[in-house]
């Protein structure tokens, strides 16, 4: 992530520039150190050679002095001449050694001067590098502070969104705590495009269960067998249901509807997200969504996360008979004025009494929703 720091500079760009400068400086320092070592070695070599020549010069001058002394002491003219010639040769060699030594001493002095300049240059470069490292550290510290502030702001925004969501949830709870003075509207959707489910039988069982309940006059249905995606949208907008009941095939995050054709077919799928969007696209979204279909527990969770106070799904594949038993007992309990918690428990008990898998139905609830306090039928 790119983090803005002072002066409008991006940390990523600053780091890239610093790294480039650091590499360049490091190469330059390495070269200067090598040059310094070369100059210091050359100076030492020149001084050593000059010292050797000075030693030779001194020896030759001593030889010349001794030869002159011998020439002065001898009485032989030829011997004296020979010694003087020997002294001249020694003195000439000494002068040569002295001249060469002087030249080397000049070179050594030059190497020393160049080495001194390099030492000054290296010291300055090292000081600059230290300052650059300090600036880079300061930039990193400011970037860390900026990132920390960003995270604090993000947490604050998240907490604000959570607070708003909780407030909306509380409003929804208050809205469903006591049913309005109107009939409970149930949109019944059934889809079995391959003709392998007893959709009609299920809806007949539900109607019969409601018709024999205490508050049957407080419940009305919009029944849409062979339901298509259009039926879902029209049913939500026109009927404004409090409960949407879907019976058919499902899987995690997918619901299967029928297509508008006469023969058996594979059907068409609607995602949990799209299903939620359709149900929520109204001024009065449904209070309860029931998926009487296989593998729909996660779909129920998705709808609760999006808008619904409560939703029912199945944790695994469910048999036709178990699905019918759950639905009949659920709606019978609701129409008899029981709470949502009791109605869900009655549905599971309806499966258990016929020896079915009664732990499959799953009730998903919005944050703070108390199913024991939710009653969907207005008791006269």
């Amino acid at each position: 992530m790119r983090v803005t720091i002072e002066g409008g500079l991006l940390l990523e760009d600053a780091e890239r520039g610093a790294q480039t400068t650091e590499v360049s400086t490091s190469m330059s320092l390495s070269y200067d150190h090598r040059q310094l070592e070369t100059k210091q070695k050359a100076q030492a070599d020149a001084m050593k050679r000059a010292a050797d020549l000075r030693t030779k010069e001194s020896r030759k001058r001593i030889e010349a002095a001794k030869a002159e002394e011998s020439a002065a002491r001898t009485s032989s003219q030829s011997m004296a001449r020979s010694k003087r010639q020997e002294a001249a040769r020694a003195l000439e060699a000494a002068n040569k050694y002295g001249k060469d030594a002087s030249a080397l001493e000049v070179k050594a002095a030059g190497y020393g001067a160049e080495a001194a300049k390099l030492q000054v240059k290296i010291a300055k470069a090292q000081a600059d590098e230290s300052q650059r490292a300090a600036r880079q550290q300061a930039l990193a510290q400011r970037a860390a502070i900026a990132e920390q502030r960003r995270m604090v702001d993000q947490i604050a925004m998240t907490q604000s969104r959570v607070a708003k969501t909780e407030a909306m949830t509380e409003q929804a709870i208050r809205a469903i705590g006591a049913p309005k003075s109107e009939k409970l509207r149930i949109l019944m959707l059934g889809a079995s495009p391959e003709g392998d489910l007893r959709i009609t039988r299920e809806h007949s069982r539900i109607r019969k269960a409601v018709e024999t309940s205490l508050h049957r006059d407080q419940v009305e249905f919009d029944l849409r067998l062979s339901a298509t995606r259009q039926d879902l949208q029209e049913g939500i907008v026109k009927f404004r249901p409090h409960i949407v009941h879907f019976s058919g095939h499902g899987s995690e995050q997918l619901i299967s509807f029928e297509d508008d054709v006469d023969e058996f077919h594979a059907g068409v799928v609607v995602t949990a997200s799209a299903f939620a969007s359709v149900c929520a696209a109204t001024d009065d979204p449904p209070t309860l969504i029931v998926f009487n279909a296989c593998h729909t527990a996660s779909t129920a969770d998705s709808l609760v996360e999006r808008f619904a106070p409560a939703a029912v799904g199945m944790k695994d594949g469910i048999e036709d008979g178990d699905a019918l038993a759950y639905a009949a007992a659920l709606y019978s309990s609701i129409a008899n004025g029981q709470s949502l918690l009791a109605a869900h428990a009655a549905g599971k008990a309806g499966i258990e009494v016929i020896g079915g898998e009664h732990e499959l139905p799953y009730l998903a609830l919005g944050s703070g929703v108390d199913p024991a306090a939710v009653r969907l039928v207005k008791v006269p």
Side-chain angles (χ1 to χ4, degrees):
M1 180 173 293
R2 294 161 69 98
V3 180
T4 303
I5 58 178
E6 291 184 11
L9 183 66
L10 291 174
L11 178 59
E12 180 181 321
D13 297 334
E15 287 180 343
R16 186 183 299 114
Q19 289 170 356
T20 302
T21 302
E22 184 178 351
V23 170
S24 177
T25 302
S26 177
M27 291 177 63
S28 178
L29 272 174
S30 178
Y31 175 77
D32 288 342
H33 274 294
R34 290 196 302 271
Q35 288 296 305
L36 176 61
E37 290 175 0
T38 300
K39 297 299 181 183
Q40 288 175 333
K41 184 177 183 303
Q43 181 186 20
D45 290 344
M47 291 179 66
K48 182 177 181 302
R49 289 166 59 197
D52 290 343
L53 290 174
R54 289 298 182 190
T55 299
K56 292 179 179 180
E57 178 190 9
S58 177
R59 288 174 182 170
K60 288 299 181 180
R61 291 193 187 281
I62 291 173
E63 288 179 9
K66 286 182 178 180
E68 286 289 347
E69 184 179 351
S70 295
R73 285 199 306 268
T74 186
S75 58
S76 171
Q77 292 293 325
S78 62
M79 180 65 70
R81 188 167 48 254
S82 176
K83 287 296 182 181
R84 282 195 291 272
Q85 289 175 350
E86 181 181 341
R89 287 194 298 272
L91 185 60
E92 183 180 359
N95 290 337
K96 176 68 169 57
Y97 288 142
K99 181 180 178 182
D100 291 344
S102 295
L104 286 171
E105 287 168 350
V106 171
K107 282 187 178 182
Y111 291 140
E114 291 176 1
K117 289 180 181 179
L118 284 170
Q119 286 175 326
V120 172
K121 182 180 179 182
I122 289 171
K124 184 177 182 303
Q126 289 175 334
D128 291 343
E129 188 174 7
S130 297
Q131 292 177 356
R132 189 160 40 250
R135 287 196 298 271
Q136 189 172 357
Q137 184 178 6
L139 287 174
Q141 289 175 344
R142 287 200 293 272
I145 293 172
E147 176 65 11
Q148 187 176 14
R149 289 175 180 169
R150 186 191 68 78
M151 292 180 65
V152 170
D153 291 342
Q154 187 174 4
I155 291 171
M157 290 176 61
T158 301
Q159 290 175 339
S160 176
R161 288 196 297 268
V162 170
K164 289 180 181 179
T165 301
E166 289 176 347
M168 292 174 64
T169 301
E170 291 175 0
Q171 291 177 358
I173 294 169
R174 289 194 293 271
I176 67 175
K180 297 178 181 179
S181 299
E182 58 182 354
K183 290 184 178 182
L184 175 66
R185 295 185 294 274
I186 305 176
L187 174 62
M188 307 291 293
L189 301 170
S192 180
E194 297 179 359
D196 55 338
L197 299 177
R198 293 183 292 171
I199 301 299
T200 303
R201 175 66 174 164
E202 179 178 338
H203 290 105
S204 296
R205 287 278 299 276
I206 292 172
R207 275 185 173 277
K208 184 176 180 180
V210 171
E211 287 170 357
T212 58
S213 65
L214 290 174
H215 309 297
R216 55 185 176 274
D217 295 334
Q218 299 300 315
V219 181
E220 62 178 336
F221 294 93
D222 183 351
L223 180 60
R224 295 172 182 253
L225 300 179
S226 301
T228 64
R229 292 169 292 187
Q230 186 67 25
D231 287 318
L232 169 64
Q233 291 183 291
E234 289 182 354
I236 293 294
V237 175
K238 292 181 180 179
F239 192 56
R240 295 179 296 112
H242 303 101
I243 299 176
V244 176
H245 179 95
F246 175 85
S247 54
H249 288 294
S251 61
E252 292 186 8
Q253 303 297 316
L254 295 175
I255 299 297
S256 179
F257 280 83
E258 295 196 18
D259 209 345
D260 191 13
V261 295
D262 294 332
E263 66 275 2
F264 291 131
H265 57 285
V268 291
V269 295
V270 172
T271 64
S273 176
F275 192 100
S277 296
V278 172
C279 291
T282 174
D283 292 330
D284 299 300
T287 299
L288 173 65
I289 312 294
V290 178
F291 293 110
N292 212 8
C294 300
H295 305 286
T296 48
S298 62
T299 304
D301 282 331
S302 297
L303 266 66
V304 165
E305 290 174 3
R306 283 283 299 274
F307 78 94
V312 172
M314 300 301 160
K315 297 177 183 177
D316 205 336
I318 185 168
E319 296 294 333
D320 240 6
D322 292 350
L324 269 62
Y326 175 80
L330 173 76
Y331 289 106
S332 174
S333 184
I334 288 175
N336 276 300
Q338 297 294 310
S339 69
L340 178 58
L341 179 64
H344 178 61
K348 294 173 71 174
I351 297 176
E352 188 173 7
V353 296
I354 64 172
E357 298 184 49
H358 63 281
E359 293 301 327
L360 290 179
Y362 164 72
L363 176 61
L365 298 167
S367 176
V369 174
D370 180 8
V374 176
R375 283 174 172 74
L376 298 169
V377 170
K378 177 67 176 179
V379 178

